[in-house]
Amino acid sequence: MKFDENFIKSHIDRDYLNEERKARRKKTNEFFTPYSIIKRMGDKIPEEDWSDPDKTFLEPTAGNGNFVLYIIYNRLCHGIEIEQILKTLYTVELMPDNVAEMKERILDMLDELNIDISIDKFNEITDKNFICMDFLEWTKNLT
């Protein structure tokens, strides 16, 4: 699959700062990173890391999945199978509704790309790897 910047940008920036997000941002001070920043950060990751099926990625403040979508899409474009991508991707997010939305957004993107993964397999992996808790508390459990 060839990297299509317009495709991934549209998925990341979709509904970015719609009225619901603007209201929520005022209450929670959440910031959902726009594509332009994600792209600049992603460009700093060496090409060999994107194409290494065993390379592990961690998104410690996942929000509703903007960085996660970019990571998944970029790794797909580098020939990594979706199941392997999910097995080597870890996210931590404080708000349960963001975790649920992130999973929905991933499935929507995969559907648009005609990439199949069983919902059971998707849930098995993401229920383990996509953690819903405070990142600093989560890191305490690592030792």
Side-chain angles (χ1 to χ4, degrees):
M1 173 174 25
K2 186 174 176 344
F3 190 90
D4 179 348
E5 187 162 356
N6 291 324
F7 175 84
I8 190 60
K9 182 180 187 310
S10 71
H11 275 272
I12 290 172
D13 287 344
R14 184 182 297 171
D15 299 327
Y16 180 70
L17 285 184
N18 64 21
E19 292 307 312
E20 184 180 324
R21 284 276 173 225
K22 286 178 186 176
R24 181 173 168 146
R25 188 173 182 182
K26 287 179 182 175
K27 287 194 287 189
T28 64
N29 290 318
E30 288 177 280
F31 177 77
F32 294 93
T33 311
Y35 177 77
S36 59
I37 294 172
I38 293 168
K39 175 76 168 102
R40 282 192 308 216
M41 292 176 75
D43 286 348
K44 294 183 184 301
I45 297 172
E47 280 297 312
E48 59 269 14
D49 289 353
W50 290 116
S51 58
D52 180 350
D54 297 319
K55 184 61 75 174
T56 300
F57 287 77
L58 169 66
E59 167 48 301
T61 56
N64 67 350
N66 286 351
F67 274 102
V68 172
L69 289 174
Y70 185 83
I71 291 166
I72 291 171
Y73 183 72
N74 206 335
R75 297 196 80 210
L76 286 168
C77 290
H78 281 82
I80 313 295
E81 297 292 325
I82 187 57
E83 199 171 312
Q84 182 64 18
I85 293 169
L86 294 174
K87 286 178 179 177
T88 56
L89 175 60
Y90 295 85
T91 73
V92 183
E93 170 53 35
L94 182 61
M95 299 180 147
D97 59 330
N98 280 341
V99 175
E101 183 180 352
M102 176 174 37
K103 290 179 179 184
E104 288 173 25
R105 291 177 74 203
I106 293 167
L107 289 170
D108 288 346
M109 183 179 74
L110 294 176
D111 186 53
E112 265 192 67
L113 293 168
N114 295 315
I115 294 173
D116 291 324
I117 184 170
S118 78
I119 195 66
D120 290 339
K121 181 54 78 176
F122 179 84
N123 287 331
E124 174 189 327
I125 298 168
T126 59
D127 287 350
K128 177 182 170 238
N129 291 7
F130 290 23
I131 309 301
C132 185
M133 70 183 308
D134 181 302
F135 177 73
L136 297 175
E137 291 299 315
W138 180 72
T139 59
K140 290 178 187 175
N141 295 330
L142 296 177
T143 57

